[in-house]
């Protein structure tokens, strides 16, 4: 029995080295069509892909770029980056430039909904699969993107807000610092926040101004808040970068009793949850979204997964709320670009 198993393993390795995974799987009686589907992951010829996200100043976006490049190498995709610079006008110029070139596929996270529709439509009309990431380029019934990979932002907003409100005992003063108002992810997080606080008449919302994902703007807002409001019990931020920027201001004012909740579960925020600087965060899976865009693009080009029927328009890529219990595993998953 052992000799048979070892022979099968040797045969598998021999065939795999000579003819690829599909043929190797055939050694074990797997349907050739299924095997071919499995093997269609890595492109035999190098593919060219263009990516853009809101701005590499944001750690979530920077992590996404690294993940896209990592998965691109595995799947034989050369990734060219067009930085959105956290500015709708600058990102539009970058996407206009992208649309003037030829790509096997592209993936875009828009800084704001409706800001990139024209150049994206130009690429779609040219037959280029366009994968939408994290925030809508335009409503899905208005533009024929290949697919939209995003978390449930209302869930993320409500989950973190609920954690804060529960810890507050259902009463007290809270502030929400929003991302960019035109970002559909930020809009969903705000709806999630509002859906929770409206259930608690003892919770007073002091302010909900946007900081546009900008840590400097966040710091200025919180300097004002800490002067204006003598009692702030909790704060919900639409991303961790803003949360940690505000924490530094709170620390300078000796106001570190404020409960802080964020979104993204980036490694610095996970560490902050572990050591108590932040109370909660939730994972917006940058690696899964950007890596998934690579896989979707390769499948569209090499495996016949053409835009249209059979391809889901909306792929939910949720991640969990981060606690001290699951923090080490979350860090490992992010280190390996899995979530």
């Amino acid at each position: 029995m052992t000799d048979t198993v070892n022979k099968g393993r040797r045969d598998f390795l021999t065939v795999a080295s000579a003819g690829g995974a599909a043929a190797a799987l055939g050694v074990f009686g797997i349907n050739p069509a299924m095997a071919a589907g499995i093997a269609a992951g890595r492109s035999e010829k190098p593919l060219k892909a263009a990516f853009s996200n809101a701005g590499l100043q944001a750690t979530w976006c920077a992590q996404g770029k690294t993940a896209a490049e990592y998965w691109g190498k595995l799947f034989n995709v050369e990734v060219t980056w067009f930085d959105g610079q956290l500015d709708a006008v600058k990102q539009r110029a970058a996407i206009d430039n992208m649309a003037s070139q030829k790509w096997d596929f592209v993936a875009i996270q828009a800084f704001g909904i409706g800001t990139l529709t024209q150049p994206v439509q130009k690429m779609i009309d040219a037959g280029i699969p366009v994968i939408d990431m994290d925030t809508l380029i335009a409503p899905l019934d208005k533009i024929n993107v290949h697919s939209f990979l995003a978390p449930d932002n209302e869930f993320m907003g409500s989950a973190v807000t609920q954690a804060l409100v529960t810890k507050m005992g259902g009463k007290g003063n809270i502030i929400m610092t929003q991302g960019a108002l035109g970002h559909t992810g930020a809009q969903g997080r705000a709806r999630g926040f509002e859906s929770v606080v409206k259930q608690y008449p003892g919770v007073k919302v002091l302010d909900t101004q946007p900081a546009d994902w900008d840590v400097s703007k966040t710091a200025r807002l919180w300097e004002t808040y800490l002067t204006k409001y003598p009692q702030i019990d909790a704060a919900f931020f639409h991303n961790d970068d803003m949360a940690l920027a505000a924490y530094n201001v709170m620390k300078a004012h000796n106001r570190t009793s404020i409960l802080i909740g964020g979104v993204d579960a980036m490694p610095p925020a996970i560490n902050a949850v572990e050591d108590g600087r932040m109370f909660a965060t939730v994972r917006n899976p940058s690696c899964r979204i950007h890596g998934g865009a690579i896989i979707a693009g390769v499948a569209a080009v090499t495996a016949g997964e053409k835009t249209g029927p059979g391809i889901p328009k909306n792929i939910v890529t949720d991640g969990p709320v981060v606690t001290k219990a699951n923090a080490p595993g979350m860090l490992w998953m992010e280190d390996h670009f899995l979530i």
Side-chain angles (χ1 to χ4, degrees):
M1 178 69 177
T2 302
D3 290 342
T4 301
V5 170
N6 287 336
K7 181 179 185 301
R9 185 180 294 115
R10 288 193 301 271
D11 288 346
F12 175 84
L13 294 173
T14 300
V15 177
S17 61
L25 289 169
V27 170
F28 297 103
I30 293 176
N31 182 287
M34 183 193 301
I38 293 170
R42 180 178 171 83
S43 175
E44 293 185 4
K45 68 170 186 176
L47 300 180
K48 292 179 59 179
F51 272 64
S52 177
N53 55 25
L56 296 177
Q57 302 100 306
T59 60
W60 186 91
C61 293
Q63 185 187 59
K65 178 177 184 289
T66 304
E69 291 168 345
Y70 171 82
W71 286 100
K73 288 179 182 177
L74 292 180
F75 282 82
N76 201 15
V77 179
E78 178 186 341
V79 175
T80 300
W81 211 267
F82 293 79
D83 187 8
Q85 300 183 62
L86 297 183
D87 184 293
V89 175
K90 291 179 180 177
Q91 187 180 37
R92 173 57 187 265
I95 302 306
D96 283 335
N97 180 18
M98 180 192 292
S100 71
Q101 303 177 52
K102 182 173 176 54
W103 309 97
D104 290 299
F105 66 92
V106 306
I108 297 170
Q109 178 210 24
F111 183 75
I113 188 170
T115 58
L116 306 174
T117 306
Q118 185 177 2
V120 168
Q121 187 61 56
K122 178 181 177 182
M123 289 186 280
I124 292 171
D125 290 344
I128 299 171
V130 176
I131 295 98
D132 194 347
M133 302 186 295
D134 184 62
T135 188
L136 289 171
I137 294 169
L140 293 177
D141 61 350
K142 302 295 184 184
I143 191 167
N144 192 29
V145 295
H146 183 74
S147 194
F148 175 47
L149 281 70
D152 182 339
N153 284 283
E154 288 193 39
F155 158 74
M156 293 197 297
S158 64
V160 175
T161 304
Q162 185 64 65
L164 294 170
V165 170
T166 300
K167 184 67 174 179
M168 293 163 62
K171 59 183 179 180
N173 297 333
I174 191 169
I175 290 174
M176 173 172 62
T177 300
Q178 301 191 67
L181 295 181
H183 185 285
T184 58
Q187 293 166 6
R189 292 168 208 183
R191 289 193 298 272
F193 171 85
E194 292 159 0
S195 73
V196 172
V197 297
K198 72 180 183 181
Q199 301 176 44
Y200 295 88
V203 173
K204 182 179 180 181
V205 179
L206 300 177
D207 207 295
T208 62
Q209 289 187 64
D212 301 327
W213 319 115
D214 187 318
V215 295
S216 297
K217 187 172 182 179
T218 302
R220 291 194 297 271
L221 281 176
W222 275 86
E223 287 283 357
T224 301
Y225 295 155
L226 294 175
T227 301
K228 183 177 180 181
Y229 302 114
Q231 182 63 35
I232 305 171
D233 299 294
F236 170 54
F237 298 85
H238 282 192
N239 78 357
D240 295 330
D241 292 352
M242 296 190 296
L244 291 172
Y247 172 81
N248 290 334
V249 178
M250 296 173 194
K251 184 178 180 180
H253 287 263
N254 197 28
R255 300 278 294 275
T256 55
S257 63
I258 299 170
L259 297 170
I260 297 175
V263 172
D264 286 345
M266 295 298 295
I270 296 174
N271 293 332
V273 169
E274 288 185 306
D275 64 29
R277 285 173 292 137
M278 288 180 63
F279 179 70
T281 187
V282 62
R283 179 58 178 162
N284 180 4
S286 178
C287 302
R288 182 179 290 168
I289 290 169
H290 288 78
I294 289 284
I295 295 168
V298 172
V301 175
T302 68
E305 293 190 8
K306 302 302 181 185
T307 304
I311 305 300
K313 280 299 177 190
N314 186 16
I315 300 174
V316 178
T317 58
D318 277 346
V321 175
V322 175
T323 65
K324 289 184 179 181
N326 66 12
M330 186 63 59
L331 287 171
W332 186 90
M333 293 278 278
E334 291 186 40
D335 285 344
H336 295 276
F337 306 110
L338 294 173
I339 194 168

